[in-house]
Amino acid sequence: MSILNLDHLAANPLLPEVQEAMIEAIKMNYGNPSSQHQLGDEAAAALQQAREQVAGLINSPVLKEVVFTSSGTESVNHAVKGVAFANAEKGKHIVTSNIEHNAILRTLRALKMMDYKVTSVPVDEYGLINPSDVADAIREDTILVTIMHSNNEIGTIQPIEEIGRITQEKKVIFHCDAVDSVGVVPIDVQKLGVNLLSFAANQFYGPSGVGGLYIRRGTRIWPLLDGGVQENNKRAGTENLIGIIGMGVAAEFATREMDFRIKHTRKLKQKLTEGLQSRIKNIFINGHPELSLPNLVSVSVQYIEGEGIVLMLDEENIAVSTRSACAAGALQASHVLLSIGRDFADAQGTLVITFGRDTTESDIERFLEVLEEVVQTLRNMSPLYLKAMQEKAEGVALS
Amino acid sequence: MYSKTVMDHFKNPRNVGEMKDADGVGEVGNPICGDMMTIYIKVKDDYIDDISFLTFGCGAAIAVSSILTEMAKGKTIGEAQKINNKSVAAALEGLPKNKLHCSNLGADALQLAIRDYQDRKAGIVREGPKRSDKHEHHHGDACYCPYCDMEAEEDSPVCVNCGRELDEAH
């Protein structure tokens, strides 16, 4: 039986058209885009085409503003460290939020060791940031605000446009980590008012190993990698042309299919959310009910731990992800779930279900059926469940 | 990640469930990663006649509880007192090092259940099971990074091997 992939966030399948384009690119035996001979010209043209396709996806008006990188992680590192280093004389203060991805958290941790100061704004129970908190956190020496577009664990989409207006007014550079949004929901860098925006090809059915960083003209930033003059002097190193060509094709399809993909995944999300609520008692659906990614559902199942659920679903050939601390190798519960007010035990029983254009309604149906059984099996082993049921019975007896 | 024996006990756990007429109950809770185990024993002529468990925790925690009940069943109290977390892990053909921290508490719960049985026999009455929140987060003197299994330096906020943040309590 084939594996039902409900962990698209970890591994999106490549689009067949992307596969074909990349295989074709390998066969073309392209030269180096920086060379001045014909081999170089062909490669440069292919690179240019991919840049146009990617710029179209984020509505970047100037092609030079799109820089290819090796991953979303590199883009984030480039944006944050590049701005921090280039503007150190102006100040060393950075504003971020409590629910950022590790790529941001650990980049900021590294900067803290170099005497940068970080202010982190809180989120509400839905994982939403209040833009006025960001405004209040900006000081005289603030050089960067970095806020994610959507959260990879709960899907909540932040009011980036409003924050963009604040940073423009206060003349602070604004970076948006949009890795989980670009190619999934419409992103318009002009409308958002960002200086920098990070994204990755594997989130929209392109290859892993290719990312992008939008850098608005006039943004004071240093390269992360020093060397040659590639990528308009923004990112040295010979381009990963095959990957970039794959990203370009994936971007073009994402632009073209955007409406269909949103409609399709939104329908699945509704079915899944309703199915969870009707079939399984004592659960929380995490994230904002409307302002969230259409392709992600986060659910905390009370009284049991996530790793057990994932292992049992895997036995049934269903792949989902957990945010429980133990399965991820960490001993701490997810900072995102604790930030939105889940307690430790509930955070432990959290699944992140992500799906896409290839997922069907019957896939969701099958998942719900298997999950219901797995949850009951694990709850029957759980002392927390027994206690909760006993308390409930006592409550009924008392009333 | 897990051995075949661990997966077998996780998928087909033995002796699951509450025991209403238990002679001894031991409960262990782990405040750091949230694992909880309850062990119930029924004692007949100084033998562990029946044993069962309830566990909230990861796959390793469930496998630990399951194999522990098999190891203890039919043993005399004296023999069962010799079962420790190390022998449980060995019977499971090993556990990942970070799981030794948090998940391998079954033997502690069993020892508490035995003491609960002995206390009851001696006429000590308490409300609820004998429980402990004590959590040993060390293996001897060394402490291991939960992410990469390498020995962690004392007082270091990050693991020198993999660079990831370590819990303050490490």
Side-chain angles (χ1 to χ4, degrees), chain A residues 106 109 303-305 307-308 311-312 315 326 329-332 344 348 378 380-384 386-387 390, chain B residues 1-2 10-11 13 16 18 27 32-33 38 54-59 62 98-99 146-147 163-165 167:
Chain A
R106 294 193 172 153
R109 187 182 68 193
Y303 317 124
I304 55 178
E305 207 265 353
E307 188 197 83
L311 291 175
M312 283 194 173
E315 286 296 307
C326 287
L331 296 178
Q332 297 146 316
F344 211 97
Q348 295 277 49
L378 287 168
N380 289 342
M381 284 184 220
S382 166
L384 297 180
L386 177 75
K387 262 177 213 159
Q390 283 170 345
Chain B
M1 182 172 80
Y2 289 134
F10 167 69
K11 282 190 279 179
V16 179
E18 187 195 11
E27 204 174 85
I32 291 179
C33 84
T38 310
L54 285 178
T55 290
F56 167 85
C58 60
I62 289 167
N98 62 327
K99 300 286 181 179
Y147 305 99
R164 296 176 83 167
E165 218 158 343
D167 200 282

Side-chain angles (χ1 to χ4, degrees), chain A residues 77-111:
Chain A
N77 271 265
H78 185 168
V80 176
K81 288 176 183 160
V83 169
F85 297 156
N87 297 277
E89 280 181 12
K90 189 189 165 216
K92 288 190 142 190
H93 181 247
I94 298 169
V95 176
T96 188
S97 86
N98 282 350
I99 61 164
E100 297 296 311
H101 188 270
N102 269 344
I104 291 284
L105 294 181
R106 294 193 172 153
T107 297
L108 292 175
R109 187 182 68 193
L111 288 173

Side-chain angles (χ1 to χ4, degrees), chain A residues 234-264:
Chain A
K234 295 284 196 293
R235 200 269 190 186
T238 305
E239 297 85 348
N240 167 15
L241 192 54
I242 292 155
I244 289 169
I245 286 170
M247 184 180 197
V249 175
E252 199 185 317
F253 272 85
T255 310
R256 207 188 296 163
E257 285 186 1
M258 182 67 72
D259 290 345
F260 155 75
R261 287 187 194 174
I262 291 177
K263 219 174 128 197
H264 177 69

